[in-house]
Amino acid sequence: MVSKKSGAGLAAALGAAVLLGGAGAGAAHAAPAEGGAALAKTDVNQALGGTTTGLGYAVAPVKDLRLDPWANSSADVLNNGATVQPENSGLGPIGTDLLTGPLSAGGGPRDLPLVGGVLGTLPG
């Protein structure tokens, strides 16, 4: 046996579908406006300014992103540097501390020797 409530709900849903379907079909067959649509001229300076501003907001967090999650902790593997003293060449010691030092101190890409200069040219 079907309850009266479910029958009434079904009838209401069917009636709403017929009404909405009829309104949508009439709107779909409407004639297009005369003259057509035209796009506005683009101001290149404003477009580039907006792009540069948006790019600055997107790039700034990446510049300061902490690359070494264990920086300043006892588990930091980058805290151990290796240094080599070349023999009979007159050169000073060469070590990895130049690259790993800024990272083990908690720095990001902006603090790296060569990458930091390149990132300085980006906005943000």
Side-chain angles (χ1 to χ4, degrees):
M1 182 167 156
V2 177
S3 71
K4 293 180 183 180
K5 289 181 180 178
S6 64
L10 180 62
L14 183 60
V18 169
L19 288 175
L20 292 176
H29 295 293
E34 293 294 325
L39 297 175
K41 299 288 183 189
T42 303
D43 185 10
V44 177
N45 290 332
Q46 284 184 346
L48 288 177
T51 303
T52 304
T53 303
L55 184 64
Y57 286 116
V59 171
V62 175
K63 288 181 179 182
D64 296 324
L65 183 68
R66 187 173 176 175
L67 297 178
D68 185 12
W70 296 297
N72 297 324
S73 71
S74 61
D76 187 13
V77 295
L78 295 177
N79 198 13
N80 300 326
T83 304
V84 176
Q85 175 68 40
E87 293 181 14
N88 300 328
S89 66
L91 296 175
I94 300 171
T96 60
D97 292 335
L98 180 67
L99 292 176
T100 60
L103 296 179
S104 66
R110 184 183 302 216
D111 300 322
L112 292 174
L114 296 175
V115 177
V118 173
L119 288 177
T121 61
L122 294 175

